[in-house]
Amino acid sequence: MVTYFRRMDDDRVFKALADPTRRFLLDLLFAREGRTLGELESAVEMTRYGVMKHLRVLEDAGLVITRRSGREKFHFLNPVPIRQVHDRWIDKYTERHVAALVDLKNELETER
Amino acid sequence: MVTYFRRMDDDRVFKALADPTRRFLLDLLFAREGRTLGELESAVEMTRYGVMKHLRVLEDAGLVITRRSGREKFHFLNPVPIRQVHDRWIDKYTERHVAALVDLKNELETER
DNA sequence: AAAATAGGTGACCATATGGTCACATGTCAA
DNA sequence: TTGACATGTGACCATATGGTCACCTATTTT
């Protein structure tokens, strides 16, 4: 029960990952970092305000890091919180097995 | 945009992880697997129905696997979807660096 | 067979969340 | 310095989500 409350902090990370649009924004930044709001906006079927709100959520969660330059704001993906999610439920010992299993699954699925 | 829609499937995994109670249930199963509903219920301040609903969501997402025996139902943690989340935004090359960084962070924080 | 135990369903309600709009600020170019 | 560009804010609304309750089924025990 202690854990229950202590962990409430990373609520923001999981809440941020819960929305498909936000995950897609992370995908875009994963493919190529340093994008501006306008650039991201054009990739999603949504108004600028919606995208901004999503980016705000991602930034608050620490999943996206920004850097301003003049009137532009560049967005970068931060993988650290993702790794922490991983480490929460996959310990060092089982990691090898699980990773191998997932890799195998991917191979089998792409082979077809 | 293709990715955007193709990935809609794992919506369930992220939605499942979005709730603190569900994450706590995963913590409980991570600590010791094979728990029954009644056992999990007593660890959370919530009615049995709430816990059941959460377990259902976790099961639908594939994060929890169950096995019935008589009138009891045992719950087990499945780490595979967690690993898939990891692999989506952390590639093989940066994994080493990120993992080392997170480990270092943990050391520094527990040292104090 | 009756009672107790373990789990399950559908409806219901308060609140949280995603998305848009009107309006506003700061920066660059002509 | 005027206009265009890039990003920001607060209010607002429809829908999704978490939690409870009344009621129900299946299995074990006495």
Side-chain angles (χ1 to χ4, degrees):
Chain A
M1 213 54 169
V2 180
T3 317
Y4 192 20
F5 291 110
R6 188 162 53 73
R7 302 258 194 182
M8 284 290 196
D9 311 337
D10 40 36
D11 212 74
R12 286 202 295 272
V13 173
F14 292 100
K15 282 276 164 62
L17 292 174
D19 182 84
T21 303
R22 287 196 288 268
R23 293 196 297 275
F24 181 59
L25 290 171
L26 290 181
D27 289 336
L28 290 174
L29 295 178
F30 179 63
R32 183 168 52 76
E33 303 215 79
R35 303 199 195 221
T36 68
L37 168 61
E39 202 179 339
L40 294 169
E41 173 202 342
S42 64
V44 176
E45 303 220 340
M46 189 181 299
T47 63
R48 185 169 55 83
Y49 315 101
V51 179
M52 256 182 51
K53 236 180 176 179
H54 284 307
L55 287 173
R56 174 70 191 275
V57 173
L58 288 168
E59 201 177 342
D60 285 349
L63 286 162
V64 163
I65 294 174
T66 60
R67 186 172 57 78
R68 278 207 80 121
S69 170
R71 61 180 167 181
E72 284 180 320
K73 190 178 181 182
F74 298 97
H75 299 78
F76 300 85
L77 171 63
N78 179 25
V80 170
I82 306 284
R83 180 69 194 187
Q84 287 170 324
V85 169
H86 174 276
D87 290 352
R88 179 163 177 177
W89 293 296
I90 298 178
D91 56 75
K92 286 268 187 288
Y93 304 100
T94 50
E95 177 173 355
R96 284 183 170 278
H97 307 91
V98 177
L101 179 60
V102 171
D103 290 347
L104 178 63
K105 270 187 72 175
N106 288 336
E107 279 178 37
L108 292 175
E109 278 169 13
T110 50
E111 238 166 48
R112 246 178 307 109
Chain B
M1 214 53 169
V2 180
T3 317
Y4 192 18
F5 291 110
R6 188 163 52 74
R7 301 258 193 183
M8 284 290 197
D9 310 337
D10 41 35
D11 213 74
R12 287 201 295 271
V13 173
F14 293 100
K15 282 277 163 63
L17 292 174
D19 182 83
T21 303
R22 286 196 289 267
R23 293 196 297 274
F24 181 60
L25 290 171
L26 291 182
D27 289 336
L28 290 174
L29 295 178
F30 180 62
R32 184 168 51 76
E33 303 214 81
R35 302 198 195 223
T36 68
L37 168 62
E39 202 178 339
L40 294 168
E41 174 202 342
S42 63
V44 176
E45 303 221 340
M46 189 182 299
T47 62
R48 186 169 56 86
Y49 314 101
V51 179
M52 256 181 51
K53 237 179 176 179
H54 285 307
L55 287 173
R56 174 70 192 274
V57 172
L58 288 168
E59 201 177 343
D60 285 349
L63 286 161
V64 163
I65 295 174
T66 60
R67 187 171 57 78
R68 277 207 81 122
S69 170
R71 63 180 166 182
E72 286 180 319
K73 190 178 182 182
F74 299 97
H75 299 78
F76 301 85
L77 170 63
N78 179 24
V80 170
I82 306 283
R83 180 69 193 188
Q84 286 171 324
V85 169
H86 173 276
D87 290 352
R88 178 163 176 177
W89 292 296
I90 298 179
D91 57 75
K92 285 268 186 289
Y93 303 101
T94 51
E95 177 174 354
R96 286 183 169 277
H97 307 92
V98 177
L101 180 59
V102 171
D103 290 346
L104 179 63
K105 270 187 72 174
N106 289 336
E107 281 178 35
L108 291 176
E109 279 169 12
T110 48
E111 239 167 47
R112 248 180 305 110

